[in-house]
Amino acid sequence: MFKWDDKYSVGIQTIDEQHKEIFRILDKLYSLLKAGKLECLLKEIIPELENYTIFHFQREEFYFHKFSYIDSDKHIAEHQNFIIKMKEMKSDIEMGRISLGFDLMLYLKTWIDHHILVIDKKYVESLKDKIKE
Ligand SMILES: [Fe+2]
């Protein structure tokens, strides 16, 4: 479901590594949700997803500020939207609204595809030579 493919590469190694990790966590989330292993999902995987995506968004936003990326406001608003949907998914699962949680997980998948392939790729030209770590 959340399989990494080279088409997602933005050509900046550190960002690609972080995106791969997000795919890995989402894939685990998907499997556990399908298998109905909700306790593990709520105790381990969703917190892992929250922590890691927030860390990743903060890294990107740090670079936007540091290198005065022109389109940062719109980009940051998209990150906020992901965080809101992720929290909604968590509370749906907590409340036992599994099919709503599942729909939101599919939404996150669509969001990620569009975000990496379109939105993230927009900053590559201006940032790829500046991000060294
Ligand atoms: Fe982003």
Side-chain angles (χ1 to χ4, degrees):
M1 178 80 178
F2 294 96
K3 247 185 126 236
W4 176 263
D5 183 283
D6 282 344
K7 72 177 178 191
Y8 295 111
S9 173
V10 296
I12 302 169
Q13 200 192 347
T14 179
I15 302 288
D16 282 349
E17 292 305 323
Q18 290 170 16
H19 286 157
K20 282 179 190 170
E21 180 66 6
I22 292 173
F23 272 66
R24 191 194 62 77
I25 299 168
L26 277 170
D27 198 54
K28 218 153 122 192
L29 191 149
Y30 175 69
S31 306
L32 290 173
L33 193 57
K34 246 186 4 185
K37 296 192 171 151
L38 303 184
E39 204 179 304
C40 176
L41 204 64
L42 287 165
K43 276 198 186 138
E44 289 175 35
I45 309 306
I46 291 179
E48 196 182 347
L49 180 69
E50 286 178 322
N51 291 336
Y52 198 81
T53 48
I54 288 168
F55 157 76
H56 167 65
F57 292 160
Q58 283 173 347
R59 290 308 295 165
E60 280 192 356
E61 291 167 20
F62 166 79
Y63 293 130
F64 297 164
H65 288 296
K66 188 170 177 189
F67 302 121
S68 309
Y69 176 52
I70 198 134
D71 240 353
S72 69
D73 286 357
K74 256 196 269 168
H75 197 130
I76 291 169
E78 284 237 359
H79 288 170
Q80 294 303 326
N81 181 259
F82 183 94
I83 291 170
I84 290 167
K85 295 295 181 189
M86 184 170 60
K87 286 187 193 306
E88 275 178 35
M89 178 187 68
K90 182 186 184 180
S91 75
D92 280 335
I93 295 171
E94 266 168 355
M95 307 292 280
R97 299 188 293 248
I98 304 304
S99 79
L100 286 177
F102 208 83
D103 288 347
L104 277 168
M105 200 220 57
L106 294 176
Y107 172 89
L108 297 183
K109 158 74 177 153
T110 311
W111 186 99
I112 291 252
D113 271 10
H114 176 262
H115 189 78
I116 296 180
L117 294 171
V118 179
I119 309 295
D120 282 345
K121 290 209 175 187
K122 282 187 188 164
Y123 68 59
V124 173
E125 249 340 283
S126 27
L127 302 185
K128 73 168 185 288
D129 295 329
K130 296 178 178 143
I131 298 174
K132 298 289 177 214
E133 54 194 87

Coordinates of all heavy atoms in Angstrom, one line a residue, residues 8 13 31 46 74 78 88 115 119 121:
Y8 N 9.1 9.1 -6.1 CA 8.9 10.0 -5.0 C 10.2 10.7 -4.6 O 10.2 11.6 -3.8 CB 8.4 9.2 -3.7 CG 7.1 8.6 -3.9 CD1 6.9 7.2 -3.9 CD2 5.9 9.4 -3.9 CE1 5.7 6.6 -4.1 CE2 4.7 8.8 -4.0 CZ 4.5 7.4 -4.1 OH 3.3 6.9 -4.2
Q13 N 18.9 13.7 -0.3 CA 19.0 12.5 0.4 C 18.3 12.5 1.7 O 17.5 11.6 2.1 CB 20.5 12.0 0.5 CG 20.5 10.5 0.8 CD 21.9 10.1 1.2 OE1 22.9 10.8 1.1 NE2 22.0 8.9 1.7
S31 N -1.4 -2.1 7.9 CA -1.5 -3.6 8.2 C -2.2 -3.8 9.5 O -3.0 -4.7 9.6 CB -0.1 -4.2 8.3 OG 0.6 -3.9 7.1
I46 N 0.6 4.9 15.9 CA 0.1 6.3 15.7 C 1.0 7.3 16.4 O 1.3 8.3 15.8 CB -1.4 6.4 16.1 CG1 -2.2 5.6 15.0 CG2 -1.9 7.8 16.1 CD1 -3.7 5.6 15.2
K74 N 2.1 28.5 2.0 CA 1.2 27.5 1.5 C 1.6 26.1 1.8 O 0.8 25.3 2.2 CB 1.2 27.7 -0.1 CG -0.1 28.4 -0.6 CD -0.3 28.1 -2.1 CE 0.4 29.2 -2.9 NZ 0.5 28.9 -4.3
E78 N -0.3 23.2 4.3 CA -0.5 21.8 3.9 C -0.1 20.9 5.0 O -0.8 19.9 5.3 CB 0.2 21.4 2.6 CG -0.4 22.0 1.4 CD -0.7 20.9 0.4 OE1 -0.5 19.7 0.7 OE2 -1.3 21.2 -0.7
E88 N -7.6 13.4 13.6 CA -8.9 13.0 13.4 C -9.0 11.4 13.3 O -9.8 10.8 13.9 CB -9.6 13.6 12.2 CG -10.2 14.9 12.4 CD -10.7 15.5 11.1 OE1 -11.2 14.7 10.2 OE2 -10.6 16.7 10.9
H115 N 1.4 15.5 -2.0 CA 2.3 16.4 -1.4 C 3.8 16.2 -1.8 O 4.5 17.2 -2.2 CB 2.3 16.2 0.2 CG 3.0 17.3 0.9 ND1 2.5 18.6 1.1 CD2 4.3 17.3 1.5 CE1 3.4 19.3 1.8 NE2 4.5 18.5 2.0
I119 N 4.0 19.2 -4.2 CA 4.3 20.3 -3.4 C 5.8 20.3 -2.9 O 6.4 21.3 -3.0 CB 3.4 20.3 -2.1 CG1 1.9 20.2 -2.5 CG2 3.6 21.5 -1.2 CD1 1.3 21.4 -3.3
K121 N 8.2 18.8 -4.4 CA 9.1 18.9 -5.6 C 9.3 20.4 -6.0 O 10.2 20.7 -6.7 CB 8.6 18.0 -6.8 CG 8.8 16.5 -6.4 CD 9.0 15.7 -7.6 CE 9.3 14.2 -7.1 NZ 9.7 13.3 -8.1

